[in-house]
Amino acid sequence: MSEIVYPPVIKAAQGVFKALDIKFRLEGTERIPRTGGAVLVSNHISYLDFIFAGLAAHPSGRLVRFMAKKEIFDHRIGGPLMRGMHHIPVDRQAGAASFKAALTALKGGEVVGVFAEATISRSFTVKDIKNGAVRMAVAGDVPLIPLTLWGPQRLWTKGRPRKLLQRGVPVTILVGEPMYPKRGDDYDKATRDLRGQLSELLEKAQREYPELPKTGQEWWQPAYLGGSAPTPEEAEALDLKELERRKSDRDA
């Protein structure tokens, strides 16, 4: 597969990270295989997560093909970049085609990136997830690798203004132990186990994060750690309200 676009995009991103003095902490990157397919499952806290999650695979020399909503591929600038990096569009009205494309990539030895929560978590905890990632790993006979991010929400997340030029923000990237679900397993149980791993990794990243919010900046800290982010219940209500608004807009 031709890689004309992806490497220059990575180089450009690394240049920006250096200019902004982003302080990275990466752990467990050796758990991402150097060859063969794998499903990399990340939590979702910002609009920049695919950039940072992809960094976890660089020490293994891998490029991650992320599954992303179709609307990004329709964008006049983002679309050509996404297609050039061979990411996988997800049309929620035609999920089978997206699954098939991801499976083809896995069987071709690619690492496929998945945000199993589907949307950004406003509470900065791991939302309920469906069993699609587990089914994908089983169908492709590849490992399922959990990954968590913490810090990117400070740069750009749902409901907050962008602060892309903020300097010196620490970003934590933790890769967990691979899971190996097999055909015949209870996929819902495997999904609960996956969510449990993601939650444990995320709590570790949050509790060990080198900075605390300054006064007036508590919004980026989860409620259970004393921050002012919505609780999971409040976040769910906000998501439902947004979903209803979008449906109303489409109907109109």
Side-chain angles (χ1 to χ4, degrees):
M1 174 181 309
S2 175
E3 299 294 354
I4 298 173
V5 178
Y6 217 147
V9 169
I10 292 171
K11 287 291 185 183
Q14 290 173 331
V16 172
F17 298 154
K18 184 176 181 179
L20 294 177
D21 191 28
I22 291 179
K23 304 176 188 306
F24 286 102
R25 171 193 173 191
L26 288 91
E27 289 186 8
T29 56
E30 72 281 356
R31 292 168 174 157
I32 297 176
R34 292 185 174 274
T35 59
V39 178
L40 189 66
V41 185
S42 175
N43 68 317
H44 202 3
I45 55 171
S46 85
Y47 291 109
L48 306 172
D49 288 344
F50 74 97
I51 298 174
F52 293 109
L55 284 179
H58 292 180
S60 296
R62 307 302 302 274
L63 298 175
V64 183
R65 314 302 177 181
F66 284 99
M67 301 187 74
K69 60 184 181 180
K70 176 181 173 293
E71 289 78 3
I72 300 175
F73 291 78
D74 294 335
H75 190 273
R76 64 185 183 86
I77 297 174
L81 286 174
M82 296 294 281
R83 287 188 289 274
M85 290 185 281
H86 307 293
H87 294 314
I88 301 167
V90 176
D91 185 346
R92 291 175 183 173
Q93 306 303 316
S98 304
F99 188 94
K100 183 178 179 181
L103 190 56
T104 297
L106 289 171
K107 290 184 174 180
E110 300 283 357
V111 178
V112 173
V114 176
F115 296 103
E117 297 167 278
T119 59
I120 290 173
S121 171
R122 301 174 192 259
S123 67
F124 304 136
T125 60
V126 181
K127 300 168 62 173
D128 287 337
I129 60 179
K130 295 184 178 180
N131 64 19
V134 172
R135 291 190 297 107
M136 196 181 299
V138 170
D141 192 24
V142 299
L144 187 67
I145 305 174
L147 174 151
T148 58
L149 305 168
W150 188 243
Q153 80 281 6
R154 297 176 61 184
L155 299 171
W156 189 15
T157 193
K158 184 176 286 189
R160 304 295 307 186
R162 283 176 288 187
K163 294 188 177 181
L164 299 178
L165 300 181
Q166 189 175 179
R167 293 180 55 80
V169 172
V171 171
T172 300
I173 304 171
L174 304 182
V175 181
E177 292 286 349
M179 301 171 62
Y180 297 90
K182 299 297 182 185
R183 201 173 301 277
D185 288 352
D186 183 334
Y187 293 173
D188 289 337
K189 181 184 181 303
T191 300
R192 290 193 296 272
D193 291 344
L194 170 63
R195 183 173 182 264
Q197 272 217 58
L198 289 170
S199 296
E200 288 179 14
L201 284 170
L202 181 56
E203 182 171 352
K204 174 182 170 65
Q206 291 168 337
R207 291 191 182 278
E208 297 177 359
Y209 194 65
E211 292 185 6
L212 292 173
K214 296 178 180 178
T215 302
Q217 295 294 313
E218 295 88 351
W219 63 265
W220 60 259
Q221 188 81 309
Y224 84 95
L225 288 178
S228 60
T231 65
E233 295 76 18
E234 291 168 341
E236 185 177 3
L238 289 169
D239 287 344
L240 182 58
K241 185 176 181 180
E242 181 183 42
L243 190 64
E244 291 172 345
R245 179 182 58 78
R246 287 183 177 177
K247 182 178 183 302
S248 178
D249 289 345
R250 287 196 301 270
D251 292 344

